[in-house]
Every structure is written in structure tokens, then in C-alpha cells.
Amino acid sequence: MALNLGDVVPDFEADTTEGRISFHKWLGDGWGVLFSHPKNFTPVCTTELGAAAKLKPEFDKRNVKLIGLSVDLLSNHDQWTQDIKDATGATLNFPLIADHDKTVANLYGMIHPNASDTTTVRSVFVVGPDKKLKLSLTYPASTGRNFDEILRVIDSLQLTAKFSVATPADWKNGDEVIIVPSVSDDAAKEKFPAGWKAVKPYLRYVAQPTAGKPS
Ligand code: BEZ
């Protein structure tokens, strides 16, 4: 069954490169990114895991845990981890689920039969502290993901969760943000006392809130 934004993500137990985990418990009260890889010992996946490992400090700063998955055996993961280090210089510093029987892949709809019956597509699930799905992405096996983009959307999601703002096209951390339509001008005066720039009555830009009272 397809997962929709706002659904509580399925819980599961699985073996990983860092031991057996119970997913919801492992997430704790922070954010999480679960992302799948078609197969071990494949070139694009190797580069992705190296890239994600290098950016882990940035995910940590945002209180986001990373966890990868591929439909392989744990013993395979150990060998592949060494290859990832050789190829990218990065040590795998987050768990990788060994989903050889595809339990988790099926639970999350990561197998798209028109792409492949046996391997996953490149799924990304961003989970909030309430265990609800905040964002999902699906890439084909042939396209490596951009982990800076995943950080960018997490910055947007976390701003929206804390303040009543949305982020415009191509927004980057530090750029102006948009007051959400559900906030009236009267309410906005309280929330954003420094004012805003209304390009249209419904398009109101404010400086990115960084501190102060969440709304
Ligand atoms: C890869 O990770 O390189 C890959 C995996 C499956 C199909 C194509 C590329």
C-alpha cells in the first residue's frame, strides 16, 4: 500500500550493520531519513552511501538520523562497507538495513515491479518526530540522489514545523520565506512584528525566522 504524507510510517524490526533495531524505537523523538538502494556492490549506490556518510554531521545538527536499506544479506553489507570506504574515502557511519527477504521494502512500497521485481527503486522517506511521513521521493536506479537537496528539504520542513512559514521555489537556508496562507494579516502582525513584503495579497515574504517564539 502506498504511503501518503501524514501517515504514521510502518514500524518494523530489522538487522542492520549496527545491530538489530526496532524502527520507531530507534528513531526516538527526533527526525529520520530512511532511504533504499537497489543492490549492494553497484556503482551509483556506492557513491550515494559515501556522499551521505560525508554529510552525516549536517544531518546530526538537524537532529535527523540516517538509515539506508538494501535487499541484501548482512554479511554482504560488511564487505560492501569496505568498498564504500575504498571508493569514496567515507566510513559508513549510519546503519544499513539488511532486508534480504524484502519485508521492509514491501512494507514501504520500495519495489516497483515495472522497474524491477527483485530490487528496490531509490526511495527516500523523511519521518518527523511524530513518526509521520513528511516527505517522500522516488528516483530510478540509474539516478543518484542529491543529499544536499535532502538537507534543504529538511530545513524547509523543520522551519514549517516551528514557524508558520513555507519556502518558495529554489529556496536555500537563509533566504526569505513565505507566510502560510492560513495566517491572516492580523495574525501575521503578531507573529512577524517586523513586517513583511506583500508581492500579492497571498504572497507575503518575510526574513527567515531563526529564533524567537515558534508559531
Ligand atoms: C547502481 O547503483 O549503480 C545501479 C543499480 C541498479 C541499476 C543501475 C545502477
Side-chain angles (χ1 to χ4, degrees):
M1 202 179 67
L3 275 178
N4 292 323
L5 298 188
D7 288 350
V8 172
V9 297
D11 199 10
F12 59 83
E13 288 202 2
D15 290 321
T16 80
T17 47
E18 297 187 7
R20 191 155 181 87
I21 63 149
S22 181
F23 186 51
H24 282 195
K25 200 164 156 213
W26 177 83
L27 281 169
D29 55 10
W31 292 68
V33 176
L34 167 64
F35 58 111
S36 58
H37 297 276
K39 199 82 194 123
N40 286 10
F41 306 108
T42 50
V44 177
C45 298
T46 302
T47 63
E48 282 193 324
L49 284 169
K54 285 178 190 167
L55 279 177
K56 182 167 177 288
E58 290 300 319
F59 287 94
D60 289 343
K61 271 190 218 162
R62 292 158 175 84
N63 193 25
V64 181
K65 287 182 171 177
L66 289 173
I67 188 161
L69 173 148
S70 81
V71 288
D72 284 271
L73 294 165
L74 195 56
S75 52
N76 260 335
H77 278 358
D78 291 340
Q79 268 175 274
W80 191 29
T81 300
Q82 185 56 50
D83 282 10
I84 292 163
K85 182 156 176 49
D86 294 345
T88 69
T91 301
L92 197 66
N93 47 12
F94 53 85
L96 193 54
I97 297 169
D99 192 34
H100 61 95
D101 61 2
K102 305 188 178 69
T103 303
V104 182
N106 286 325
L107 205 53
Y108 277 73
M110 293 167 172
I111 308 259
H112 294 204
N114 289 332
S116 166
D117 280 330
T118 53
T119 59
T120 66
V121 290
R122 295 185 195 282
S123 300
V124 181
F125 298 98
V126 179
V127 184
D130 54 5
K131 311 286 184 294
K132 290 185 178 168
L133 182 64
K134 304 299 178 189
L135 176 127
S136 67
L137 293 168
T138 305
Y139 278 46
S142 51
T143 304
R145 286 158 289 197
N146 181 327
F147 287 85
D148 283 320
E149 169 61 7
I150 295 172
L151 281 171
R152 190 190 76 88
V153 296
I154 286 168
D155 284 338
S156 170
L157 291 166
Q158 292 189 339
L159 263 182
T160 304
K162 197 163 178 197
F163 304 101
S164 301
V165 295
T167 56
D170 301 328
W171 173 86
K172 292 182 303 305
N173 200 0
D175 289 353
E176 285 181 320
V177 298
I178 290 171
I179 302 172
V180 294
S182 58
V183 173
S184 67
D185 280 354
D186 279 346
K189 278 180 200 150
E190 264 193 43
K191 288 180 195 294
F192 308 102
W196 59 87
K197 180 178 72 195
V199 174
K200 292 284 175 189
Y202 54 83
L203 177 50
R204 298 164 296 174
Y205 287 102
V206 280
Q208 177 178 323
T210 49
K213 198 164 149 257
S215 51

